[in-house]
Amino acid sequence: MLYFLSMKITKLWKSVLVFSMCTTLGACQNKSEKNIKDGTYTAEVEGYQSSLTVKVTFSNGSITSVEVVDSNETKTWADSALHYIPKYIHDEQSLNVDTITGATVTSNAIISAVEKTITDAAIARNTISRLRFALLMLTDKSI
């Protein structure tokens, strides 16, 4: 009975270890190593009046372009946000940019879409290596 209990605890600790290592693996990487996969990603989000499609390109871990490729937002209200928010995100290399007064919902929608593309690029970069590591940890009998 004691042996069975210790085996259950060992498996539990292995699972906890794998989970914690998989979730923190990105934080332990070398700072010079990029955390996102190069490429072009798109995301669709809801704006004020319609959906917006935003295309973001990454190269060497940086945002190289942000473009709203589809929008049916009201031109008079949304034009500033559609033009300036992608520019601000690209120039600052950050999602922490000011929104456009009068087009706050559209501004936040663009920021949200870029955030989704960053998440997609990070997942594309890390998913395979994290899955391989987790499988190795779960199948290794010596741990």
Side-chain angles (χ1 to χ4, degrees):
M1 176 71 170
L2 188 57
Y3 176 75
F4 178 74
L5 184 58
S6 75
M7 291 301 293
K8 286 287 188 186
I9 291 172
T10 302
K11 283 187 178 185
L12 175 66
W13 279 112
K14 278 186 183 180
S15 298
V16 170
L17 177 66
V18 168
F19 176 78
S20 64
M21 291 178 111
C22 286
T23 57
T24 60
L25 190 59
C28 298
Q29 292 176 338
N30 183 344
K31 293 294 182 193
S32 64
E33 184 179 342
K34 58 186 177 179
N35 292 318
I36 58 175
K37 184 171 173 42
D38 290 350
T40 301
Y41 300 84
T42 59
E44 186 174 318
V45 294
E46 280 302 312
Y48 184 71
Q49 282 190 309
S50 69
S51 61
L52 303 166
T53 303
V54 177
K55 179 173 73 170
V56 182
T57 304
F58 300 96
S59 180
N60 296 318
S62 297
I63 299 171
T64 56
S65 73
V66 179
E67 179 183 357
V68 178
V69 293
D70 187 36
S71 168
N72 289 318
E73 297 286 271
T74 304
K75 295 292 182 193
T76 54
W77 293 104
D79 267 351
S80 294
L82 296 172
H83 175 75
Y84 287 109
I85 296 298
K87 180 183 178 340
Y88 295 160
I89 292 170
H90 173 264
D91 292 350
E92 296 294 323
Q93 293 291 301
S94 172
L95 298 177
N96 189 19
V97 296
D98 291 334
T99 57
I100 303 297
T101 302
T104 306
V105 174
T106 303
S107 298
N108 286 329
I110 295 166
I111 293 167
S112 176
V114 174
E115 182 177 26
K116 284 183 179 184
T117 65
I118 292 170
T119 301
D120 291 345
I123 288 171
R125 167 74 172 85
N126 293 312
T127 298
I128 293 173
S129 61
R130 286 184 181 187
L131 286 176
R132 285 182 184 156
F133 180 75
L135 287 173
L136 177 68
M137 291 297 293
L138 287 174
T139 58
D140 186 3
K141 304 295 183 199
S142 63
I143 295 177

